[in-house]
């Protein structure tokens, strides 16, 4: 029996979105927030073997950027045809035209070759999306920033880019939800950029940061631009260029509700200013970071600042004091060891790397070696660029008795 027209419509929606069956399943899972859809089930839908439930149809519609109500009507018609016994010859011409119109709705979003290009194309073209779908997409964007603490960049990349495509497909129908979705899109694009940078694809990372700034402008949301600028600062050509980016970011996170973001930005400014040899500016920025963090709640503000725990502030302080050779280094390291205890925080690679380097620099060799071993294990379990950068610094400070550990870290850094 030939495939049902609804099955053919689902096939065309996927193809015009530029996805494989596996990618389509991932896009639907990104919308639903659950990993229940499979490539096999997509194949069954597209061959008319199964008809998705209305609940699943809503997720398919969001992933493909078409109105859920229209897809539900087409599915209901398919169920009716199945009950009566399907005959292709009697198909109404209006049905064909309607499905052609629905299928064409995704062409604009699918036109660009890369995810950031599709997002840029979709910005500012809103019409309508329902509140439930909007909330699902926003919540998923937040969840991905938390997931970033636990997954490697390799595992996270496809999840982030798939969700970015899901939001991009919906943006032309955002209507009153356009600002919220533009912010969620920007947050997801920034995370995609960070993942690309982690994987060494710096050109891709810059493209994502650029479209994040486009989202910030479209939404009128300066903290989103600060997110892009602060991520971009890690890849700046010189410390002075990083300081310039961070100075702009600091302006974008002023105001209520941005305390944790401001602490991160000022802490990063301090780190790069110290790297540039600007001692006074570095210490002032670090003091501001500690001051605003006293008013922060990293669990209640933007999802993308969840990593900015007290451990991470310790890490930034250790980095600054270590670069400047300040006497506060020893006390800060002792406090960090006490706070860390036996637990490994989500941002453990960075924290342990800075702590190990600080302990060794400060002369606490035994404790420094112990933490260096913790750092090596954490860096190997979750390899990233920041871990590799710290591995080289730690290896250089290990005593001669730890040559094997030093070689291991040097190989990891390379």
């Amino acid at each position: 029996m030939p495939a049902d027209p609804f099955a053919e419509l689902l096939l065309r929606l996927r193809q015009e979105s530029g996805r494989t069956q596996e990618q389509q399943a991932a896009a639907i899972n990104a919308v639903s927030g659950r990993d229940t859809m499979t490539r096999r089930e997509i194949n069954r839908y597209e061959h008319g073997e199964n008809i998705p439930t209305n609940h699943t149809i809503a997720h398919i519609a969001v992933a493909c950027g078409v109105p859920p109500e229209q897809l539900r009507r087409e599915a209901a018609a398919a169920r009716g045809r199945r009950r009566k016994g399907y005959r292709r010859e009697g198909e109404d011409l209006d049905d064909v035209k309607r499905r052609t119109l629905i299928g064409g709705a995704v062409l604009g979003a699918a036109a660009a070759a890369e995810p950031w290009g599709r997002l840029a194309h979709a910005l500012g073209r809103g019409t309508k999306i329902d509140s439930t779908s909007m909330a699902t997409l926003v919540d998923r964007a937040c969840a991905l920033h938390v997931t970033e603490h636990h997954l490697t960049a390799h595992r996270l990349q496809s999840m982030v880019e798939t969700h970015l495509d899901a939001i991009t497909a919906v943006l032309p129908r955002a209507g009153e939800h356009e600002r919220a979705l533009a912010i969620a899109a920007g947050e997801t694009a920034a995370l995609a950029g960070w993942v690309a940078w982690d994987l060494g694809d710096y050109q891709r990372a810059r493209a994502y940061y650029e479209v994040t700034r486009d989202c910030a402008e479209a939404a009128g949301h300066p903290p989103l631009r600060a997110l892009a600028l602060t991520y971009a600062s890690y890849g700046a050509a010189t410390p002075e260029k990083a300081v310039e980016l961070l100075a702009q970011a600091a302006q974008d996170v002023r105001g209520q509700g941005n305390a944790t973001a401001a602490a991160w930005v000022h802490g990063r400014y301090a780190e790069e200013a110290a790297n540039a040899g600007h001692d006074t500016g570095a210490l002032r920025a670090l003091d501001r970071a500690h001051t605003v963090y006293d008013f922060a709640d990293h669990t209640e503000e933007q999802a993308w600042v969840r990593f900015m725990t007290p451990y991470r502030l310790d890490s930034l302080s250790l980095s600054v004091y270590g670069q400047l050779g300040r006497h506060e280094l020893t006390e800060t390291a002792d406090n960090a060891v006490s706070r860390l205890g036996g637990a490994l925080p989500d941002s453990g690679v960075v924290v342990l790397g800075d702590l190990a380097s600080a302990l060794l620099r400060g002369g606490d060799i035994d404790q420094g070696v112990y933490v260096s071993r913790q750092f090596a294990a954490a860096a190997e379990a979750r390899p990233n660029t920041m871990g590799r950068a710290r591995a080289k610094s730690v290896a250089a400070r290990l005593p001669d008795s730890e040559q094997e550990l030093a070689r291991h870290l040097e190989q990891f850094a390379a």
Side-chain angles (χ1 to χ4, degrees):
M1 183 177 73
D4 184 88
F6 180 63
E8 293 178 352
L9 171 61
L10 293 178
L11 171 62
R12 187 151 42 85
L13 287 173
R14 173 178 65 78
Q15 290 175 337
E16 289 175 352
S17 295
R19 299 178 184 136
T20 64
Q21 289 183 338
E22 186 173 359
Q23 289 169 337
Q24 180 76 338
I28 295 168
N29 287 332
V31 174
S32 69
R34 299 188 299 275
D35 294 327
T36 53
M37 184 59 62
T38 64
R39 184 207 62 79
R40 182 176 177 81
E41 193 62 28
I42 296 296
N43 188 64
R44 286 173 174 168
Y45 292 156
E46 293 179 356
H47 283 83
E49 298 173 16
N50 286 348
I51 298 175
T53 65
N54 283 341
H55 186 68
T56 300
I57 285 171
H59 295 149
I60 295 172
V62 171
C64 293
V66 298
E69 297 77 13
Q70 293 187 30
L71 265 190
R72 288 192 184 104
R73 284 196 293 271
E74 293 298 326
R79 294 186 191 102
R81 287 190 293 269
R82 175 173 286 191
R83 285 193 298 270
K84 296 176 182 178
Y86 170 56
R87 292 192 310 163
R88 182 62 174 258
E89 294 79 10
E91 183 176 14
D92 190 288
L93 183 59
D94 288 340
D95 291 337
V96 177
K97 289 180 178 178
R98 186 174 65 253
R99 278 190 294 277
T100 301
L101 180 62
I102 295 173
V106 297
L107 283 173
E114 296 288 357
W116 60 83
R118 290 193 287 274
L119 175 56
H121 179 85
L123 283 171
R125 293 164 51 94
T127 53
K128 186 178 181 182
I129 181 178
D130 64 87
S131 299
T132 301
S133 299
M134 182 276 296
T136 299
L137 289 167
V138 171
D139 290 345
R140 177 65 171 167
C142 293
L144 285 170
H145 276 275
V146 177
T147 303
E148 190 265 339
H149 300 164
H150 311 290
L151 298 181
T152 64
H154 283 287
R155 292 183 60 191
L156 190 60
Q157 185 176 42
S158 63
M159 295 170 62
V160 174
E161 293 192 341
T162 295
H163 187 62
L164 184 61
D165 268 342
I167 298 178
T168 298
V170 170
L171 265 173
R173 303 185 176 277
E176 63 182 306
H177 306 299
E178 183 174 1
R179 183 174 187 271
L181 283 178
I183 292 173
E187 291 172 345
T188 307
L191 181 57
W194 181 245
V195 169
W197 189 81
D198 239 8
L199 295 172
D201 194 341
Y202 304 126
Q203 183 176 357
R204 194 177 189 87
R206 285 192 293 271
Y208 275 124
Y209 296 151
E210 184 62 35
V211 80
T212 299
R213 291 194 285 271
D214 290 343
C215 289
E217 183 176 351
H221 189 61
L224 185 55
R225 181 171 57 182
L227 171 61
L229 291 169
T230 307
Y231 273 163
S233 71
Y234 287 98
T238 64
E240 287 77 9
K241 179 59 178 176
V243 166
E244 181 182 330
L245 295 174
L246 292 161
Q248 175 60 63
Q251 297 297 312
D252 291 335
V253 291
R254 294 180 299 177
Q256 188 174 1
N258 299 319
T260 307
W264 175 42
V265 172
H266 288 305
R268 278 288 299 136
Y269 184 101
E271 194 171 34
E272 293 296 345
N275 194 21
H278 304 154
D279 296 25
T280 302
L283 293 173
R284 286 176 177 171
L286 185 60
D287 184 60
R288 281 194 294 272
H290 281 276
T291 299
V292 295
Y293 197 74
D294 288 340
F295 297 93
D297 185 347
H298 74 281
T299 64
E300 294 295 332
E301 297 174 21
Q302 300 98 330
W304 46 267
V305 294
R306 299 287 172 84
F307 71 89
M308 190 60 189
T309 62
Y311 303 113
R312 186 68 179 100
L313 188 58
D314 286 342
S315 171
L316 289 165
S317 300
L318 290 167
S319 177
V320 173
Y321 291 144
Q323 290 184 82
L324 299 181
R326 298 285 299 185
H327 64 85
E328 294 95 332
L329 176 64
T330 301
E331 182 181 358
T332 304
D334 289 342
N335 291 337
V337 170
S338 177
R339 194 198 307 276
L340 195 60
L344 179 63
D346 288 334
S347 52
V349 174
V350 177
V351 175
L352 290 175
D354 285 337
L355 179 56
S357 182
L359 289 167
L360 294 169
R361 191 194 299 263
D364 193 343
I365 304 301
D366 291 341
Q367 187 71 12
V369 169
Y370 173 74
V371 176
S372 296
R373 293 187 182 281
Q374 287 186 300
F375 163 68
E380 188 169 347
R382 192 174 180 280
N384 60 46
T385 307
M386 293 178 70
R388 290 195 294 273
R390 282 158 173 78
K392 187 174 182 179
S393 173
V394 172
R397 290 183 170 81
L398 284 167
D400 292 342
S401 59
E402 297 295 333
Q403 290 183 4
E404 183 177 350
L405 177 58
R407 281 195 298 271
H408 175 77
L409 290 173
E410 286 171 353
Q411 289 173 356
F412 177 77

